Amino acid sequence: MLLLRTLLRMPELRLSLHTGEDQLDRTVTRVYGTELPDPSRYLSGGELVLSGLLWHHGPQDSETFVRSLASARVAGLAASDTDSDTDSHDLPEDLVDACVRHHVPLLEVPVDLSFATITERVSMELVGLSRHRRLLTVVTEGSGLPALLAAGGHELNAPCWVLSTTGRVVAGGELPGRVALVKEFLQADRLPKTVRGVTLVPVSERGGTRLTSWILVVGGPVQQEAAAELASLVGLERLHQAQGRQIENRTAAPLVAAVLSGSADLESRLAAAGLESARLRVLSAVTSDQRTDLAAAVLEEALPQALVTPVGDTVYAVAKADDSPPDEVRDAMRVMEPGLGSSRVLVGISSPVESRGLRGAAEEATHARRLGERRGGRTCVVAGEEIALHQLLLAGVPEELRGSLRRRLLGPVIDYDAEHGSDLAGTLKVFLDCSGSWTSAAAKLHVHVNTLRYRVGRVEELLGVDLTEFEVRVDLFLALQAG
Protein backbone atom coordinates (compact mmCIF):
# COMPACT_ATOMS: atom_id res chain seq x y z
CA MET A 1 0.00 0.00 0.00
CA LEU A 2 1.09 3.58 -0.73
CA LEU A 3 0.25 5.75 2.27
CA LEU A 4 0.13 9.52 2.58
CA ARG A 5 2.88 9.39 5.17
CA THR A 6 5.07 7.62 2.60
CA LEU A 7 4.69 10.57 0.23
CA LEU A 8 5.72 12.97 2.98
CA ARG A 9 8.92 10.96 3.46
CA MET A 10 9.95 11.24 -0.20
CA PRO A 11 12.69 13.89 -0.15
CA GLU A 12 12.41 14.62 -3.85
CA LEU A 13 8.76 15.78 -3.44
CA ARG A 14 9.34 18.13 -0.46
CA LEU A 15 5.67 18.02 0.55
CA SER A 16 4.69 19.60 3.85
CA LEU A 17 1.63 18.80 5.97
CA HIS A 18 -0.86 21.53 6.94
CA THR A 19 -3.60 19.44 8.50
CA GLY A 20 -4.60 15.79 8.94
CA GLU A 21 -1.69 14.43 10.94
CA ASP A 22 -3.95 11.73 12.38
CA GLN A 23 -5.04 10.61 8.90
CA LEU A 24 -1.69 9.87 7.27
CA ASP A 25 -2.36 6.13 7.05
CA ARG A 26 -4.87 6.70 4.25
CA THR A 27 -4.09 4.68 1.13
CA VAL A 28 -3.37 6.47 -2.16
CA THR A 29 -4.79 4.62 -5.18
CA ARG A 30 -4.08 7.18 -7.92
CA VAL A 31 -3.23 10.81 -8.64
CA TYR A 32 -5.89 13.19 -10.00
CA GLY A 33 -5.23 16.82 -10.97
CA THR A 34 -8.13 19.24 -11.21
CA GLU A 35 -9.11 22.91 -11.22
CA LEU A 36 -12.87 22.22 -11.24
CA PRO A 37 -14.86 23.87 -8.42
CA ASP A 38 -16.60 20.52 -7.74
CA PRO A 39 -14.72 17.48 -9.12
CA SER A 40 -16.70 14.84 -7.16
CA ARG A 41 -18.20 13.23 -10.28
CA TYR A 42 -14.69 12.31 -11.45
CA LEU A 43 -13.51 10.83 -8.16
CA SER A 44 -13.87 7.22 -7.00
CA GLY A 45 -12.04 7.31 -3.66
CA GLY A 46 -8.41 7.05 -2.59
CA GLU A 47 -7.10 9.76 -4.91
CA LEU A 48 -4.35 12.20 -4.09
CA VAL A 49 -5.93 15.34 -5.59
CA LEU A 50 -3.52 17.92 -7.04
CA SER A 51 -4.73 21.47 -7.48
CA GLY A 52 -3.24 24.88 -8.23
CA LEU A 53 -6.36 26.55 -6.67
CA LEU A 54 -7.36 28.32 -9.91
CA TRP A 55 -10.95 27.80 -8.81
CA HIS A 56 -10.43 29.70 -5.53
CA HIS A 57 -11.96 33.17 -5.20
CA GLY A 58 -13.17 33.09 -1.61
CA PRO A 59 -14.15 31.01 1.47
CA GLN A 60 -17.30 29.57 -0.13
CA ASP A 61 -15.21 28.16 -2.98
CA SER A 62 -13.01 26.34 -0.46
CA GLU A 63 -16.06 24.93 1.30
CA THR A 64 -17.60 23.62 -1.92
CA PHE A 65 -14.35 22.12 -3.21
CA VAL A 66 -13.25 20.43 0.02
CA ARG A 67 -16.76 19.13 0.76
CA SER A 68 -16.79 17.41 -2.66
CA LEU A 69 -13.43 15.79 -1.89
CA ALA A 70 -14.65 14.53 1.48
CA SER A 71 -17.80 13.06 -0.01
CA ALA A 72 -15.70 11.16 -2.55
CA ARG A 73 -13.40 9.85 0.22
CA VAL A 74 -10.17 11.01 -1.35
CA ALA A 75 -6.87 10.21 0.35
CA GLY A 76 -5.84 13.85 0.55
CA LEU A 77 -5.33 17.17 -1.19
CA ALA A 78 -1.93 18.42 -2.35
CA ALA A 79 -2.19 22.08 -3.27
CA SER A 80 -0.01 24.94 -4.40
CA ASP A 81 -1.30 28.51 -4.69
CA THR A 82 0.51 29.30 -7.91
CA ASP A 83 -2.04 31.98 -8.81
CA SER A 84 -1.53 33.97 -5.60
CA ASP A 85 -1.03 37.72 -5.91
CA THR A 86 1.39 37.70 -2.96
CA ASP A 87 5.02 36.61 -2.94
CA SER A 88 4.51 34.14 -0.08
CA HIS A 89 2.24 31.76 -2.01
CA ASP A 90 0.78 30.61 1.33
CA LEU A 91 -2.32 28.42 1.13
CA PRO A 92 -5.55 30.31 1.88
CA GLU A 93 -6.64 30.17 5.53
CA ASP A 94 -10.20 29.32 4.49
CA LEU A 95 -8.91 26.29 2.56
CA VAL A 96 -7.03 25.06 5.64
CA ASP A 97 -10.11 25.57 7.81
CA ALA A 98 -12.34 23.70 5.33
CA CYS A 99 -9.91 20.74 5.28
CA VAL A 100 -9.95 20.62 9.09
CA ARG A 101 -13.77 20.64 9.18
CA HIS A 102 -14.15 17.92 6.57
CA HIS A 103 -11.20 15.79 7.70
CA VAL A 104 -9.31 16.04 4.42
CA PRO A 105 -5.51 15.90 4.85
CA LEU A 106 -3.91 18.95 3.26
CA LEU A 107 -0.38 18.86 1.86
CA GLU A 108 1.41 21.88 0.44
CA VAL A 109 3.39 21.54 -2.78
CA PRO A 110 6.46 23.78 -3.28
CA VAL A 111 5.77 26.31 -6.01
CA ASP A 112 8.89 25.22 -7.90
CA LEU A 113 7.77 21.56 -8.02
CA SER A 114 5.61 20.61 -10.98
CA PHE A 115 2.53 18.47 -10.57
CA ALA A 116 3.91 16.31 -13.38
CA THR A 117 6.86 15.34 -11.15
CA ILE A 118 4.50 14.31 -8.35
CA THR A 119 2.29 12.37 -10.75
CA GLU A 120 5.25 10.52 -12.27
CA ARG A 121 6.79 9.64 -8.90
CA VAL A 122 3.52 8.42 -7.36
CA SER A 123 2.59 6.51 -10.51
CA MET A 124 5.95 4.73 -10.46
CA GLU A 125 5.35 3.77 -6.85
CA LEU A 126 1.85 2.50 -7.63
CA VAL A 127 3.11 0.52 -10.64
CA GLY A 128 5.70 -1.09 -8.40
CA LEU A 129 3.06 -2.03 -5.86
CA SER A 130 0.85 -3.50 -8.57
CA ARG A 131 3.77 -5.50 -9.92
CA HIS A 132 4.59 -6.73 -6.44
CA ARG A 133 0.99 -7.85 -5.88
CA ARG A 134 0.95 -9.74 -9.18
CA LEU A 135 4.23 -11.49 -8.45
CA LEU A 136 3.28 -12.20 -4.85
CA THR A 137 0.12 -13.87 -6.13
CA VAL A 138 2.27 -16.32 -8.11
CA VAL A 139 4.19 -17.15 -4.93
CA THR A 140 1.14 -17.56 -2.71
CA GLU A 141 -0.57 -19.77 -5.27
CA GLY A 142 2.39 -22.15 -5.05
CA SER A 143 2.98 -22.08 -8.81
CA GLY A 144 6.70 -22.63 -8.28
CA LEU A 145 9.94 -20.95 -9.30
CA PRO A 146 9.61 -21.38 -13.10
CA ALA A 147 6.20 -19.67 -13.04
CA LEU A 148 7.52 -16.85 -10.84
CA LEU A 149 10.50 -16.36 -13.14
CA ALA A 150 8.24 -16.25 -16.19
CA ALA A 151 5.97 -13.70 -14.51
CA GLY A 152 8.96 -11.65 -13.39
CA GLY A 153 10.39 -11.65 -16.89
CA HIS A 154 7.06 -10.38 -18.19
CA GLU A 155 6.96 -7.59 -15.61
CA LEU A 156 10.56 -6.56 -16.26
CA ASN A 157 10.20 -7.02 -20.01
CA ALA A 158 13.39 -9.10 -20.03
CA PRO A 159 14.29 -12.82 -19.88
CA CYS A 160 15.30 -14.08 -16.44
CA TRP A 161 17.30 -17.00 -15.07
CA VAL A 162 18.32 -18.24 -11.64
CA LEU A 163 21.82 -19.71 -11.19
CA SER A 164 23.54 -21.39 -8.30
CA THR A 165 27.16 -20.46 -7.61
CA THR A 166 28.19 -23.82 -9.10
CA GLY A 167 26.95 -22.61 -12.49
CA ARG A 168 23.86 -24.84 -12.35
CA VAL A 169 20.75 -23.32 -13.94
CA VAL A 170 18.12 -23.55 -11.21
CA ALA A 171 15.37 -22.13 -13.42
CA GLY A 172 15.01 -20.31 -16.71
CA GLY A 173 16.39 -22.59 -19.39
CA GLU A 174 19.80 -22.66 -21.08
CA LEU A 175 22.08 -19.70 -20.35
CA PRO A 176 25.29 -19.30 -22.40
CA GLY A 177 28.37 -18.15 -20.52
CA ARG A 178 26.92 -18.96 -17.11
CA VAL A 179 30.28 -19.98 -15.59
CA ALA A 180 31.76 -16.58 -16.51
CA LEU A 181 28.71 -14.88 -14.99
CA VAL A 182 29.17 -16.75 -11.71
CA LYS A 183 32.80 -15.59 -11.61
CA GLU A 184 31.70 -11.99 -12.19
CA PHE A 185 29.12 -12.35 -9.41
CA LEU A 186 31.53 -13.85 -6.87
CA GLN A 187 34.23 -11.25 -7.56
CA ALA A 188 32.00 -8.17 -7.88
CA ASP A 189 32.85 -5.25 -5.60
CA ARG A 190 29.18 -4.30 -5.47
CA LEU A 191 25.89 -5.95 -6.36
CA PRO A 192 23.65 -5.78 -8.33
CA LYS A 193 26.07 -5.62 -11.26
CA THR A 194 25.40 -5.20 -14.97
CA VAL A 195 27.91 -7.13 -17.07
CA ARG A 196 27.97 -8.84 -20.46
CA GLY A 197 24.56 -7.37 -21.25
CA VAL A 198 22.80 -8.81 -18.18
CA THR A 199 22.19 -7.73 -14.58
CA LEU A 200 23.29 -9.99 -11.70
CA VAL A 201 21.23 -9.72 -8.51
CA PRO A 202 21.90 -11.76 -5.32
CA VAL A 203 19.20 -14.06 -3.96
CA SER A 204 20.39 -14.81 -0.44
CA GLU A 205 19.03 -16.93 2.36
CA ARG A 206 18.87 -15.22 5.73
CA GLY A 207 22.36 -15.17 7.21
CA GLY A 208 23.86 -16.56 3.99
CA THR A 209 27.03 -15.51 2.16
CA ARG A 210 27.64 -14.68 -1.48
CA LEU A 211 28.97 -18.21 -2.04
CA THR A 212 25.69 -19.72 -0.86
CA SER A 213 23.51 -17.25 -2.77
CA TRP A 214 21.49 -17.90 -5.86
CA ILE A 215 21.96 -15.43 -8.68
CA LEU A 216 19.04 -13.76 -10.43
CA VAL A 217 20.18 -13.02 -13.98
CA VAL A 218 18.06 -10.45 -15.84
CA GLY A 219 18.64 -10.12 -19.56
CA GLY A 220 19.64 -6.49 -19.74
CA PRO A 221 19.97 -3.33 -17.62
CA VAL A 222 16.85 -2.93 -15.47
CA GLN A 223 15.54 -0.74 -12.67
CA GLN A 224 17.38 -2.06 -9.63
CA GLU A 225 14.37 -1.70 -7.36
CA ALA A 226 12.24 -3.89 -9.63
CA ALA A 227 15.00 -6.50 -9.98
CA ALA A 228 15.58 -6.54 -6.21
CA GLU A 229 11.85 -7.06 -5.69
CA LEU A 230 11.82 -10.11 -7.96
CA ALA A 231 14.98 -11.39 -6.24
CA SER A 232 13.27 -11.15 -2.84
CA LEU A 233 10.35 -13.25 -4.08
CA VAL A 234 12.74 -15.77 -5.63
CA GLY A 235 14.31 -15.83 -2.17
CA LEU A 236 10.94 -16.84 -0.71
CA GLU A 237 10.79 -19.75 -3.13
CA ARG A 238 14.32 -20.72 -2.16
CA LEU A 239 13.39 -20.55 1.51
CA HIS A 240 10.53 -22.97 0.88
CA GLN A 241 12.96 -25.38 -0.79
CA ALA A 242 15.50 -24.92 2.01
CA GLN A 243 12.88 -25.76 4.62
CA GLY A 244 12.11 -28.97 2.77
CA ARG A 245 15.81 -29.75 2.61
CA GLN A 246 16.22 -29.11 6.33
CA ILE A 247 13.52 -31.69 7.00
CA GLU A 248 15.30 -34.19 4.74
CA ASN A 249 18.67 -33.41 6.30
CA ARG A 250 17.42 -34.39 9.76
CA THR A 251 18.15 -37.95 8.68
CA ALA A 252 21.73 -37.07 7.66
CA ALA A 253 23.43 -37.00 11.08
CA PRO A 254 22.07 -40.36 12.34
CA LEU A 255 22.68 -41.96 8.94
CA VAL A 256 26.33 -40.82 8.77
CA ALA A 257 26.85 -41.87 12.40
CA ALA A 258 25.52 -45.33 11.51
CA VAL A 259 27.79 -45.48 8.44
CA LEU A 260 30.94 -44.52 10.37
CA SER A 261 30.25 -46.88 13.26
CA GLY A 262 28.91 -49.80 11.23
CA SER A 263 25.78 -49.67 13.38
CA ALA A 264 23.21 -52.45 13.13
CA ASP A 265 20.45 -49.91 12.45
CA LEU A 266 22.07 -48.70 9.20
CA GLU A 267 19.39 -50.28 7.03
CA SER A 268 16.61 -48.56 8.95
CA ARG A 269 18.46 -45.24 8.68
CA LEU A 270 18.77 -45.71 4.92
CA ALA A 271 15.07 -46.52 4.70
CA ALA A 272 14.20 -43.36 6.64
CA ALA A 273 16.20 -41.37 4.09
CA GLY A 274 14.66 -43.20 1.13
CA LEU A 275 18.03 -44.69 0.11
CA GLU A 276 17.57 -48.33 1.00
CA SER A 277 17.76 -49.65 -2.57
CA ALA A 278 20.13 -47.13 -4.17
CA ARG A 279 23.80 -47.40 -5.08
CA LEU A 280 25.54 -44.74 -3.04
CA ARG A 281 28.72 -42.72 -2.65
CA VAL A 282 30.18 -41.25 0.52
CA LEU A 283 31.99 -37.91 0.38
CA SER A 284 34.45 -36.54 2.93
CA ALA A 285 35.32 -32.82 2.90
CA VAL A 286 37.52 -30.47 4.92
CA THR A 287 38.91 -26.97 4.47
CA SER A 288 42.46 -25.82 5.06
CA ASP A 289 41.24 -23.59 7.91
CA GLN A 290 38.86 -26.12 9.56
CA ARG A 291 35.68 -24.31 8.47
CA THR A 292 33.02 -26.99 8.57
CA ASP A 293 30.38 -24.38 7.68
CA LEU A 294 32.17 -23.64 4.41
CA ALA A 295 32.81 -27.31 3.60
CA ALA A 296 29.13 -28.10 4.23
CA ALA A 297 28.00 -25.16 2.09
CA VAL A 298 30.22 -26.26 -0.80
CA LEU A 299 28.92 -29.83 -0.69
CA GLU A 300 25.30 -28.69 -0.44
CA GLU A 301 25.70 -26.40 -3.45
CA ALA A 302 27.59 -28.99 -5.49
CA LEU A 303 25.21 -31.83 -4.53
CA PRO A 304 21.70 -30.45 -3.99
CA GLN A 305 20.25 -33.94 -3.40
CA ALA A 306 22.89 -35.17 -0.94
CA LEU A 307 22.51 -35.62 2.82
CA VAL A 308 25.23 -33.49 4.40
CA THR A 309 26.38 -33.30 8.02
CA PRO A 310 29.55 -32.35 9.95
CA VAL A 311 31.33 -34.84 12.19
CA GLY A 312 34.07 -33.08 14.15
CA ASP A 313 36.12 -31.01 11.71
CA THR A 314 35.09 -33.15 8.72
CA VAL A 315 31.90 -32.87 6.69
CA TYR A 316 30.39 -36.05 5.29
CA ALA A 317 27.75 -36.50 2.62
CA VAL A 318 25.83 -39.54 1.42
CA ALA A 319 24.49 -39.26 -2.11
CA LYS A 320 23.07 -41.47 -4.81
CA ALA A 321 25.86 -42.56 -7.15
CA ASP A 322 24.08 -41.13 -10.20
CA ASP A 323 23.74 -37.73 -8.46
CA SER A 324 27.41 -37.45 -7.53
CA PRO A 325 29.75 -38.27 -10.44
CA PRO A 326 33.24 -37.06 -9.52
CA ASP A 327 33.73 -35.00 -12.68
CA GLU A 328 30.56 -33.00 -12.04
CA VAL A 329 31.50 -32.40 -8.40
CA ARG A 330 34.96 -31.31 -9.51
CA ASP A 331 33.58 -28.93 -12.15
CA ALA A 332 31.07 -27.43 -9.72
CA MET A 333 33.74 -26.75 -7.12
CA ARG A 334 36.05 -25.13 -9.66
CA VAL A 335 33.29 -22.67 -10.54
CA MET A 336 32.93 -21.79 -6.85
CA GLU A 337 36.66 -21.15 -6.31
CA PRO A 338 36.49 -17.33 -6.62
CA GLY A 339 34.17 -17.24 -3.60
CA LEU A 340 36.34 -19.31 -1.26
CA GLY A 341 38.48 -16.46 0.02
CA SER A 342 41.68 -17.81 1.57
CA SER A 343 40.25 -21.29 2.21
CA ARG A 344 41.19 -24.45 0.35
CA VAL A 345 38.57 -27.20 0.06
CA LEU A 346 39.52 -30.89 -0.19
CA VAL A 347 36.96 -33.56 -1.06
CA GLY A 348 37.29 -37.33 -1.28
CA ILE A 349 34.63 -39.39 -3.04
CA SER A 350 34.16 -43.12 -2.62
CA SER A 351 33.43 -45.60 -5.35
CA PRO A 352 29.73 -46.52 -5.79
CA VAL A 353 28.64 -49.17 -3.28
CA GLU A 354 25.60 -51.02 -2.00
CA SER A 355 24.43 -50.36 1.54
CA ARG A 356 26.64 -53.08 3.03
CA GLY A 357 29.76 -51.38 1.69
CA LEU A 358 29.09 -47.90 3.13
CA ARG A 359 31.50 -48.11 6.04
CA GLY A 360 34.36 -49.04 3.73
CA ALA A 361 33.21 -46.31 1.33
CA ALA A 362 33.53 -43.73 4.10
CA GLU A 363 37.10 -44.88 4.77
CA GLU A 364 37.88 -44.81 1.07
CA ALA A 365 36.54 -41.25 0.79
CA THR A 366 38.64 -40.17 3.76
CA HIS A 367 41.81 -41.74 2.34
CA ALA A 368 41.13 -40.22 -1.08
CA ARG A 369 40.68 -36.80 0.51
CA ARG A 370 44.00 -37.16 2.34
CA LEU A 371 45.74 -37.86 -0.96
CA GLY A 372 44.36 -34.55 -2.17
CA GLU A 373 46.31 -32.75 0.53
CA ARG A 374 49.49 -33.39 -1.49
CA ARG A 375 48.02 -31.94 -4.67
CA GLY A 376 47.67 -28.33 -5.73
CA GLY A 377 44.66 -26.15 -6.44
CA ARG A 378 42.15 -24.13 -4.40
CA THR A 379 39.80 -27.09 -4.62
CA CYS A 380 40.80 -30.72 -4.98
CA VAL A 381 38.44 -33.62 -5.60
CA VAL A 382 39.89 -37.14 -5.49
CA ALA A 383 37.70 -40.13 -6.29
CA GLY A 384 38.47 -43.63 -5.05
CA GLU A 385 38.15 -45.23 -8.47
CA GLU A 386 40.62 -42.74 -9.95
CA ILE A 387 43.57 -43.78 -7.79
CA ALA A 388 45.58 -46.97 -7.41
CA LEU A 389 44.94 -49.39 -4.57
CA HIS A 390 48.40 -48.88 -3.08
CA GLN A 391 47.77 -45.11 -2.91
CA LEU A 392 44.55 -45.68 -0.98
CA LEU A 393 46.31 -48.07 1.37
CA LEU A 394 49.15 -45.63 1.97
CA ALA A 395 46.69 -42.78 2.55
CA GLY A 396 45.35 -44.71 5.55
CA VAL A 397 48.80 -44.94 7.13
CA PRO A 398 49.65 -42.10 9.55
CA GLU A 399 52.18 -39.64 8.17
CA GLU A 400 54.71 -40.39 10.91
CA LEU A 401 54.57 -44.10 10.16
CA ARG A 402 54.93 -43.49 6.42
CA GLY A 403 58.05 -41.42 7.06
CA SER A 404 59.47 -44.09 9.36
CA LEU A 405 58.89 -46.87 6.80
CA ARG A 406 60.41 -44.78 4.01
CA ARG A 407 63.47 -44.08 6.13
CA ARG A 408 63.88 -47.72 7.15
CA LEU A 409 63.75 -49.01 3.57
CA LEU A 410 65.50 -46.19 1.70
CA GLY A 411 67.68 -44.51 4.37
CA PRO A 412 71.12 -45.34 2.92
CA VAL A 413 70.10 -44.15 -0.55
CA ILE A 414 68.57 -40.94 0.83
CA ASP A 415 71.76 -40.24 2.80
CA TYR A 416 74.00 -41.00 -0.20
CA ASP A 417 72.01 -38.60 -2.41
CA ALA A 418 72.21 -35.88 0.24
CA GLU A 419 75.98 -36.30 0.61
CA HIS A 420 76.91 -36.60 -3.08
CA GLY A 421 74.22 -34.46 -4.72
CA SER A 422 73.03 -37.46 -6.73
CA ASP A 423 69.52 -38.76 -7.39
CA LEU A 424 69.67 -42.51 -6.95
CA ALA A 425 66.20 -42.45 -5.39
CA GLY A 426 64.82 -40.79 -8.55
CA THR A 427 66.58 -43.36 -10.72
CA LEU A 428 65.09 -46.17 -8.64
CA LYS A 429 61.60 -44.71 -8.95
CA VAL A 430 61.79 -44.47 -12.76
CA PHE A 431 63.23 -48.00 -12.96
CA LEU A 432 60.36 -49.43 -10.88
CA ASP A 433 57.72 -47.31 -12.72
CA CYS A 434 58.99 -48.91 -15.94
CA SER A 435 58.51 -52.38 -14.41
CA GLY A 436 62.27 -53.03 -14.37
CA SER A 437 62.74 -52.47 -18.12
CA TRP A 438 66.34 -51.31 -18.70
CA THR A 439 65.71 -49.82 -22.14
CA SER A 440 62.47 -47.98 -21.16
CA ALA A 441 63.95 -46.59 -17.96
CA ALA A 442 67.21 -45.53 -19.68
CA ALA A 443 65.26 -43.75 -22.41
CA LYS A 444 63.09 -41.96 -19.86
CA LEU A 445 66.16 -40.87 -17.90
CA HIS A 446 68.08 -39.95 -21.09
CA VAL A 447 71.10 -42.07 -20.09
CA HIS A 448 72.91 -45.08 -21.54
CA VAL A 449 71.72 -48.47 -20.38
CA ASN A 450 75.15 -49.18 -18.86
CA THR A 451 74.89 -45.97 -16.80
CA LEU A 452 71.50 -47.08 -15.57
CA ARG A 453 72.86 -50.54 -14.68
CA TYR A 454 75.63 -48.90 -12.67
CA ARG A 455 73.20 -46.67 -10.76
CA VAL A 456 70.78 -49.50 -9.97
CA GLY A 457 73.69 -51.68 -8.89
CA ARG A 458 74.81 -48.91 -6.55
CA VAL A 459 71.29 -48.82 -5.03
CA GLU A 460 71.42 -52.59 -4.47
CA GLU A 461 74.79 -52.25 -2.74
CA LEU A 462 73.63 -49.42 -0.45
CA LEU A 463 70.40 -51.20 0.53
CA GLY A 464 71.73 -54.76 0.52
CA VAL A 465 68.90 -56.02 -1.69
CA ASP A 466 68.38 -57.86 -4.98
CA LEU A 467 66.02 -55.93 -7.26
CA THR A 468 65.23 -59.03 -9.28
CA GLU A 469 63.08 -60.18 -6.35
CA PHE A 470 59.42 -59.17 -6.72
CA GLU A 471 58.81 -58.59 -2.98
CA VAL A 472 61.81 -56.25 -2.79
CA ARG A 473 60.50 -54.23 -5.73
CA VAL A 474 57.05 -53.93 -4.09
CA ASP A 475 58.50 -52.75 -0.77
CA LEU A 476 60.74 -50.16 -2.36
CA PHE A 477 57.96 -48.98 -4.68
CA LEU A 478 55.65 -48.39 -1.68
CA ALA A 479 58.46 -46.69 0.26
CA LEU A 480 58.99 -44.27 -2.64
CA GLN A 481 55.23 -43.59 -2.87
CA ALA A 482 55.06 -42.91 0.87
CA GLY A 483 57.37 -39.91 0.53
Side-chain angles (χ1 to χ4, degrees):
M1 294 185 297
L2 177 59
L3 306 179
L4 279 178
R5 69 171 67 254
T6 305
L7 298 182
L8 286 169
R9 292 170 180 165
M10 294 179 178
E12 66 272 32
L13 298 186
R14 296 180 282 124
L15 301 175
S16 58
L17 182 67
H18 269 265
T19 181
E21 187 172 355
D22 59 338
Q23 301 163 69
L24 294 180
D25 287 329
R26 290 188 179 184
T27 301
V28 177
T29 58
R30 68 184 181 112
V31 179
Y32 177 71
T34 184
E35 299 302 334
L36 295 174
D38 181 355
S40 56
R41 63 185 293 186
Y42 301 106
L43 301 172
S44 56
E47 291 89 354
L48 174 67
V49 176
L50 304 178
S51 179
L53 308 186
L54 299 180
W55 46 265
H56 182 265
H57 303 288
Q60 186 55 47
D61 294 331
S62 293
E63 175 66 21
T64 300
F65 185 79
V66 174
R67 186 174 60 243
S68 71
L69 301 187
S71 65
R73 301 181 181 279
V74 300
L77 169 63
S80 177
D81 194 1
T82 56
D83 198 39
S84 173
D85 293 331
T86 67
D87 293 333
S88 66
H89 296 285
D90 290 338
L91 297 179
E93 289 291 338
D94 53 88
L95 175 64
V96 177
D97 292 342
C99 286
V100 171
R101 285 195 305 275
H102 293 286
H103 306 289
V104 175
L106 176 60
L107 288 70
E108 184 172 359
V109 180
V111 293
D112 61 340
L113 182 69
S114 71
F115 285 171
T117 299
I118 299 175
T119 301
E120 180 181 4
R121 180 65 181 88
V122 174
S123 296
M124 286 177 58
E125 194 74 19
L126 292 173
V127 167
L129 289 170
S130 298
R131 178 182 62 241
H132 181 77
R133 282 194 292 268
R134 289 192 292 271
L135 294 177
L136 190 58
T137 298
V138 177
V139 174
T140 55
E141 288 177 347
S143 302
L145 185 57
L148 174 61
L149 213 57
H154 177 75
E155 295 291 342
L156 298 177
N157 196 30
C160 298
W161 299 264
V162 174
L163 291 179
S164 78
T165 50
T166 64
R168 174 175 59 92
V169 177
V170 179
E174 183 60 32
L175 176 60
R178 60 186 186 277
V179 171
L181 292 178
V182 171
K183 184 177 181 181
E184 293 280 2
F185 175 83
L186 291 175
Q187 295 182 330
D189 293 332
R190 183 176 298 178
L191 294 169
K193 179 179 183 179
T194 299
V195 61
R196 303 174 187 267
V198 300
T199 300
L200 308 176
V201 187
V203 179
S204 301
E205 292 185 66
R206 185 176 299 174
T209 66
R210 189 176 293 189
L211 188 68
T212 59
S213 294
W214 278 354
I215 308 167
L216 173 63
V217 182
V218 183
V222 293
Q223 183 187 1
Q224 288 193 5
E225 182 179 348
E229 177 187 336
L230 177 58
S232 69
L233 294 175
V234 172
L236 284 178
E237 286 293 323
R238 188 183 189 193
L239 182 59
H240 294 159
Q241 294 185 20
Q243 288 171 340
R245 178 166 184 154
Q246 287 173 358
I247 294 173
E248 293 176 359
N249 245 355
R250 289 174 186 172
T251 62
L255 173 57
V256 169
V259 168
L260 297 178
S261 65
S263 173
D265 65 349
L266 175 58
E267 293 296 336
S268 63
R269 296 297 185 188
L270 288 169
L275 300 174
E276 64 273 20
S277 58
R279 283 178 60 78
L280 304 168
R281 293 182 189 268
V282 178
L283 294 89
S284 172
V286 298
T287 68
S288 56
D289 46 4
Q290 290 79 50
R291 288 188 54 191
T292 55
D293 60 327
L294 179 61
V298 168
L299 285 186
E300 287 174 351
E301 292 300 319
L303 297 165
Q305 307 303 320
L307 297 176
V308 180
T309 189
V311 179
D313 60 359
T314 304
V315 175
Y316 288 93
V318 178
K320 292 181 179 179
D322 292 342
D323 294 338
S324 53
D327 285 343
E328 291 187 12
V329 177
R330 187 176 291 113
D331 290 344
M333 289 181 55
R334 283 175 180 162
V335 176
M336 300 174 78
E337 284 184 5
L340 293 178
S342 60
S343 300
R344 183 171 185 245
V345 181
L346 307 170
V347 178
I349 306 180
S350 76
S351 305
V353 296
E354 307 291 343
S355 60
R356 62 181 178 273
L358 279 172
R359 186 176 184 183
E363 294 178 357
E364 180 184 26
T366 299
H367 296 333
R369 189 203 74 222
R370 288 174 179 162
L371 283 174
E373 295 173 1
R374 307 179 194 176
R375 302 184 182 181
R378 297 292 308 286
T379 60
C380 184
V381 177
V382 181
E385 62 260 47
E386 297 172 348
I387 56 182
L389 177 60
H390 73 272
Q391 291 177 306
L392 278 176
L393 294 174
L394 286 172
V397 178
E399 186 174 352
E400 296 81 2
L401 180 56
R402 289 201 306 271
S404 175
L405 291 173
R406 176 180 170 84
R407 181 71 195 174
R408 178 166 63 84
L409 291 172
L410 294 172
V413 170
I414 295 172
D415 292 340
Y416 183 91
D417 284 342
E419 182 178 350
H420 296 85
S422 57
D423 189 21
L424 292 180
T427 298
L428 176 62
K429 184 178 185 306
V430 172
F431 180 69
L432 295 177
D433 287 342
C434 293
S435 303
S437 169
W438 297 102
T439 54
S440 297
K444 196 168 184 179
L445 289 167
H446 306 290
V447 298
H448 193 275
V449 171
N450 289 340
T451 301
L452 176 61
R453 289 184 184 276
Y454 169 78
R455 292 181 183 177
V456 172
R458 192 77 183 98
V459 169
E460 290 179 317
E461 290 175 11
L462 289 168
L463 298 182
V465 297
D466 181 358
L467 282 172
T468 62
E469 296 181 8
F470 177 75
E471 293 82 356
V472 171
R473 290 190 182 186
V474 170
D475 284 348
L476 295 179
F477 175 80
L478 292 176
L480 289 165
Q481 294 292 324

